Amino acid sequence: MDEVQGTIYEVIYRNEQNGYTVLDLEQDDELLTLIGYFSFLNIGETIKAYGTWIQHPNYGNQFKVETYTAITPATINGIEKYLASGLIPGIGPHIAGKLVEKFGLDTLDIMQYNPDRLTEVAGIGQKKAAKISEAIEEQKELKDIMMFLEQYGIGPSYSVRIYKTYGANTINEIKANPYKLADDIFGIGFKMADRIAMSMGVSKFSEYRVASGTRYVLNQYHGNGHTFVPHDELVRSSASLLEVDETHVEDTIVRLFIEKKLVVENVGDIRGVYSLPFFKAETGTARRLMQLLYYKIPAMDLDMDSEISVVEKSEDIELADKQKSAVREALTQSVLVITGGPGTGKTTIIKAIINIFEKYGLDVLLAAPTGRAAKRMQETTGREAKTIHRLLEFGYGDSDEEMFFQKNEESPLECDVIIIDEVSMIDILLMNNLLKAIAEGTRVILVGDVDQLPSVGPGNVLRDIIDSGVLPVVRLDEIYRQAESSMIAVNAHRINKGESPILSTKDGDFFLIRQESQEDIVSTIIELCGRRLPNYTGLDPYEGIQVLSPMKKGLCGVLNLNHMLQEVLNPQGRDKAEKKHREVVFRVGDKVMQIKNNYKMRWQSICNIEREGEGVFNGDLGTIVNIDNEELYMEVVFDRERKVKYDFTMLDELEHAYALTVHKSQGSEFPVLVMPLTFGPPMLLTRNLLYTALTRAKSMVVLVGKERFLHQMICNNHITTRHSGLRRRLDDQIFV
């Protein structure tokens, strides 16, 4: 076995998932190319590596590393490169140079054993010195853990997450039960945990393994929107994944049921298997809806027709008969559902209802599932609207991981009326928590478009409620006067009914630009967003124009579109800091989206520095305003108000948002919508998805591509069936 020793000069390539790395090693003024799995090594570190020389057909002579040991840098240059690599938070190239200039070859010893002396360097105070010292201790601990995890193919980003979850006890925790990783670590699924377990010699038939694999399959179904899985389907899928007999899975399901870790129950003719949280949420939602419905609310002493006339005069509107009926129902029912598409007057009705309730002294609360939906509700009603999470005041228990809503059965919301918009986006877990916080006697009005895509999370809440026929529902299906001139509203309704849109109007708000190839579609979209639409509309391409696509991958998918749009709308510049994360480059000025709920993330108001709070949620849109490669963090401002600080280890929670999938756009409204029309998976190119996309546009829709794909989507009325028991449970509650 050959041996080389030197200082890492440059990391040419690194796969963050498995740690495979290509780097240049400086040895005696010569650069050697090393390849192998050593994910946590950084520029400036000195190593002794053992392996063999190989000849690559394209890249020439390379040293394939089998094993290596890290050596403390022994030269001034090596120490400075090591510290400047960004390995230690708070130390970048500038501070690294100052430290080496002050302490020379003793720099690393002083940092490790006498960190108080760091304050002798200009720019390092007591607080920063303590932070650096703490980071060094953590790095020593983390490096051992990373070396342990690396042998199982776990890269640095996952290693940091694992370490932050288990701390110094990481190795013991994983050795005891590697399948914990699949449950506890965001981004690590069963397959990665299983690979580790198999490497450790865990039996294929281990109870841990079969239980974890079965729960993994169950969670996969939950991730696809199902609240339960048919028993036989779960058994077959799990046995196939685990490569074990179905009897092993059946026995495991029985054991988990006895241990109260899942629920097995008949849902009509189907024997369903639930994870405990979804079973509780579904049964709780059905029970609470019926309790609220049957509670006898006091009648309001008013002349409804007279009050409606007063609202019409004050708002300078004329309500149609069905709209008036919706207002009357809202004033008399304890629970009401209002559903309808764009232009059918949902907002007009909400404003009328609020005016009448407030006139008679009733306290009205408004909420929506996302920040953007709440903001839009606030703008259209002129009254405060909150996200449901803010309304319910989420908080923490004894540990940071124990999240709960502070508004609940024991501490309900204080109001007489609550109006919830965009209910089609609400999943079963959130609906259950919301209903628990609504006291009996409170009037509940649920507003949404049942024809839009269902919630990203599990459940089919709005459709199940409407289809049950148990709760009073007002269906708005007529486009009213103020929306008749909008071809967006007209065409959205035509498409929803399976009819072709009207494309012949000029100077309108609904356009199709015909392009044949995907390359031409992409270049047209880039030109539209970068020049033509901003010039034509006067809108800012960041906030006024949004690209939506049915898919993530491919030339017309959001991944490629985001890359292309970034280069046009926010190109690289000498004054723009950047951070590469996996295959993506984040840049100051980028438009980004939060892609998971993070209840613990702190934010500070940029308008009022004394105002701060917690919580950044899936779907929140923002702009990167700062990237600090010295301190290893990035700052994002959401909705021009909340500034959030992201440690570099948290960047998996962000994606570029120049282009979004239609699913991710739900709850939002954009002045101008641009969307490619091209081939893709039939399960994505559906009427339901196209309709949902069009209803996100406020002023203009521009479709780019082939007209035949537009008609193909309209004809594809496939709606994926979700296994959900809410409708049946509502039916059953009638007889309870």
Side-chain angles (χ1 to χ4, degrees):
M1 188 174 290
D2 297 317
E3 171 190 323
V4 296
Q5 179 175 324
T7 302
I8 297 172
Y9 180 80
E10 183 179 3
V11 177
I12 298 168
Y13 169 80
R14 174 171 289 155
N15 184 323
E16 296 285 353
Q17 302 295 328
N18 61 21
Y20 179 78
T21 304
V22 180
L23 57 81
D24 280 343
L25 188 78
E26 188 175 16
Q27 177 182 268
D28 300 329
D29 296 327
E30 181 185 3
L31 291 182
L32 311 177
T33 300
L34 273 60
I35 61 172
Y37 294 87
F38 26 81
S39 54
F40 57 82
L41 291 177
N42 288 277
I43 294 170
E45 290 195 71
T46 302
I47 62 169
K48 182 180 287 186
Y50 304 90
T52 55
W53 288 99
I54 62 171
Q55 188 69 26
H56 192 280
N58 296 324
Y59 302 114
N61 213 20
Q62 296 180 332
F63 190 77
K64 185 177 180 181
V65 177
E66 300 295 334
T67 184
Y68 66 92
T69 56
I71 300 171
T72 303
T75 66
I76 295 289
N77 186 48
I79 293 171
E80 184 173 351
K81 281 186 177 180
Y82 171 71
L83 294 176
S85 67
L87 184 68
I88 301 171
I91 299 180
H94 180 64
I95 296 295
K98 284 187 172 184
L99 285 167
V100 171
E101 183 181 350
K102 176 69 177 176
F103 301 120
L105 293 173
D106 296 328
T107 300
L108 296 178
D109 286 339
I110 287 171
M111 291 175 67
Q112 185 168 351
Y113 302 113
N114 197 5
D116 289 342
R117 289 196 60 194
L118 296 178
T119 57
E120 297 174 21
V121 175
I124 299 181
Q126 289 285 354
K127 188 175 179 181
K128 188 163 187 174
K131 184 179 177 182
I132 290 171
S133 176
E134 186 179 303
I136 291 170
E137 287 301 313
E138 188 175 275
Q139 286 295 330
K140 286 162 55 182
E141 206 168 62
L142 178 58
K143 184 164 282 193
D144 289 340
I145 289 166
M146 289 176 113
M147 289 182 70
F148 168 77
L149 294 173
E150 189 175 74
Q151 64 186 311
Y152 302 112
I154 298 180
S157 58
Y158 287 131
S159 296
V160 172
R161 281 189 222 162
I162 294 168
Y163 173 72
K164 286 193 171 184
T165 302
Y166 303 128
N169 203 37
T170 295
I171 294 174
N172 290 335
E173 290 276 358
I174 294 172
K175 283 182 176 179
N177 178 13
Y179 292 102
K180 288 186 66 174
L181 294 170
D183 298 327
D184 299 341
I185 310 300
F186 175 68
I188 292 188
F190 168 79
K191 292 182 179 179
M192 187 181 291
D194 195 41
R195 188 179 71 237
I196 296 167
M198 294 295 98
S199 300
M200 290 179 173
V202 174
S203 168
K204 185 178 182 179
F205 306 102
S206 159
E207 284 188 358
Y208 280 140
R209 181 174 187 267
V210 180
S212 181
T214 303
R215 286 203 307 271
Y216 167 76
V217 173
L218 185 55
N219 286 331
Q220 290 290 101
Y221 276 88
H222 292 326
N224 289 325
H226 307 284
T227 58
F228 72 87
V229 186
H231 176 273
D232 293 347
E233 198 172 321
L234 176 62
V235 170
R236 283 195 302 272
S237 298
S238 300
S240 175
L241 171 74
L242 296 165
E243 296 180 342
V244 298
D245 291 339
E246 291 185 4
T247 53
H248 285 92
V249 178
E250 290 171 343
D251 292 344
T252 295
I253 291 173
V254 171
R255 178 169 60 81
L256 293 173
F257 173 70
I258 293 170
E259 293 172 357
K260 297 184 178 179
K261 292 181 178 176
L262 51 75
V263 174
V264 182
E265 183 177 280
N266 288 336
V267 183
D269 298 331
I270 303 173
R271 189 184 181 200
V273 182
Y274 287 84
S275 293
L276 208 56
F278 296 107
F279 177 78
K280 289 181 177 179
E282 197 171 88
T283 54
T285 295
R287 182 175 60 252
R288 192 63 182 157
L289 276 171
M290 300 308 291
Q291 289 171 342
L292 292 167
L293 178 67
Y294 286 140
Y295 190 90
K296 188 171 178 59
I297 58 172
M300 296 179 68
D301 184 16
L302 52 75
D303 182 328
M304 290 191 195
D305 291 338
S306 174
E307 292 299 339
I308 289 172
S309 296
V310 170
V311 168
E312 287 180 315
K313 289 178 183 176
S314 65
E315 294 290 325
D316 192 23
I317 56 174
E318 183 179 346
L319 297 178
D321 289 343
K322 189 163 280 192
Q323 290 177 308
K324 291 178 182 179
S325 175
V327 174
R328 292 189 188 98
E329 289 288 299
L331 297 175
T332 56
Q333 298 288 351
S334 54
V335 181
L336 176 67
V337 178
I338 300 174
T339 185
T344 56
K346 297 191 297 295
T347 299
T348 302
I349 292 167
I350 291 173
K351 290 171 70 176
I353 292 166
I354 294 171
N355 285 339
I356 297 173
F357 279 137
E358 289 184 342
K359 179 178 178 180
Y360 283 83
L362 273 65
D363 187 17
V364 182
L365 290 181
L366 308 179
T370 68
R372 294 184 72 83
K375 186 177 181 181
R376 187 153 52 90
M377 193 181 192
Q378 184 166 307
E379 290 169 350
T380 55
T381 62
R383 289 155 177 90
E384 182 184 23
K386 297 180 179 180
T387 64
I388 296 173
H389 291 87
R390 274 189 65 205
L391 187 74
L392 299 181
E393 299 177 12
F394 55 85
Y396 300 96
D398 295 333
S399 71
D400 285 345
E401 301 303 318
E402 185 185 349
M403 188 280 293
F404 68 96
F405 291 109
Q406 297 179 70
K407 290 298 181 182
N408 49 41
E409 305 99 313
E410 282 131 24
S411 177
L413 295 164
E414 296 179 5
C415 63
D416 302 302
V417 183
I418 183 164
I419 303 175
I420 308 296
D421 199 9
E422 295 283 2
V423 177
S424 64
M425 295 181 64
I426 301 178
D427 63 33
I428 194 68
L429 294 176
L430 187 57
M431 179 58 82
N432 183 47
N433 280 299
L434 172 64
L435 294 175
K436 284 194 294 186
I438 299 176
E440 291 180 0
T442 303
R443 300 165 191 262
V444 181
I445 300 169
L446 304 175
V447 184
D449 185 349
V450 72
D451 293 316
Q452 287 190 25
L453 292 170
S455 59
V456 175
N460 210 3
V461 174
L462 182 59
R463 183 169 294 278
D464 280 355
I465 289 173
I466 292 173
D467 289 350
S468 73
V470 173
L471 276 72
V473 176
V474 175
R475 294 177 183 268
L476 304 172
D477 50 18
E478 181 181 346
I479 303 176
Y480 293 108
R481 206 170 51 186
Q482 62 270 30
E484 287 177 349
S485 60
S486 168
M487 293 311 299
I488 298 174
V490 170
N491 282 337
H493 283 272
R494 289 178 65 87
I495 286 168
N496 197 35
K497 291 187 287 186
E499 300 172 2
S500 296
I502 299 170
L503 301 171
S504 58
T505 59
K506 294 183 178 179
D507 301 321
D509 58 8
F510 195 100
F511 304 95
L512 170 64
I513 299 176
R514 293 169 175 82
Q515 292 291 2
E516 288 296 313
S517 71
Q518 290 204 20
E519 290 80 3
D520 288 341
I521 292 172
V522 171
S523 63
T524 300
I525 289 174
I526 300 304
E527 188 181 3
L528 283 167
C529 296
R531 183 180 60 84
R532 289 168 60 180
L533 285 172
N535 290 344
Y536 180 72
T537 64
L539 291 170
D540 173 8
Y542 272 70
E543 296 191 3
I545 302 167
Q546 183 63 56
V547 177
L548 298 184
S549 176
M551 61 211 90
K552 291 191 73 171
K553 298 180 180 179
L555 280 177
C556 293
V558 297
L559 295 177
N560 182 59
L561 287 170
N562 270 318
H563 173 70
M564 302 291 286
L565 287 164
Q566 181 195 37
E567 292 307 305
V568 172
L569 300 178
N570 189 32
Q572 188 176 28
R574 294 178 63 184
D575 59 337
K576 294 179 186 176
E578 295 183 349
K579 167 61 182 174
K580 184 173 182 183
H581 179 70
R582 303 191 191 282
E583 303 304 315
V584 173
V585 174
F586 289 114
R587 185 175 296 146
V588 169
D590 274 343
K591 182 179 179 181
V592 292
M593 172 182 272
Q594 174 79 11
I595 60 169
K596 65 169 288 195
N597 289 335
N598 189 325
Y599 303 98
K600 295 185 291 184
M601 185 76 86
R602 295 199 62 80
W603 56 263
Q604 187 175 54
S605 171
I606 62 173
C607 304
N608 179 2
I609 59 173
E610 294 183 0
R611 182 169 172 257
E612 57 182 27
E614 290 180 325
V616 185
F617 303 106
N618 188 2
D620 284 354
L621 291 171
T623 303
I624 298 174
V625 295
N626 181 38
I627 296 176
D628 193 322
N629 286 303
E630 293 266 353
E631 300 287 345
L632 309 183
Y633 70 85
M634 189 161 81
E635 289 179 308
V636 178
V637 171
F638 291 98
D639 298 321
R640 292 188 173 184
E641 179 186 1
R642 298 169 295 144
K643 183 188 284 187
V644 179
K645 187 174 179 179
Y646 287 81
D647 183 274
F648 279 173
T649 62
M650 303 173 66
L651 298 187
D652 277 346
E653 297 188 13
L654 291 171
E655 287 182 354
H656 282 127
Y658 299 103
L660 301 173
T661 62
V662 177
H663 284 83
K664 289 288 187 183
S665 73
Q666 286 179 266
S668 300
E669 186 176 65
F670 310 103
V672 177
L673 163 69
V674 180
M675 182 174 170
L677 293 175
T678 185
F679 63 84
M683 63 181 294
L684 291 179
L685 302 185
T686 65
R687 182 193 304 176
N688 187 217
L689 183 138
L690 177 61
Y691 171 78
T692 301
L694 299 184
T695 60
R696 301 303 91 206
K698 184 178 181 181
S699 304
M700 184 183 295
V701 168
V702 183
L703 304 176
V704 184
K706 296 184 180 181
E707 189 171 346
R708 72 180 178 91
F709 287 113
L710 173 63
H711 295 300
Q712 185 176 308
M713 292 180 79
I714 295 169
C715 293
N716 182 9
N717 197 27
H718 172 74
I719 297 176
T720 303
T721 301
R722 286 192 168 191
H723 296 303
S724 167
L726 180 60
R727 176 183 175 181
R728 182 168 294 277
R729 292 186 194 283
L730 285 169
D731 290 336
D732 292 344
Q733 289 290 325
I734 296 176
F735 306 104
V736 173

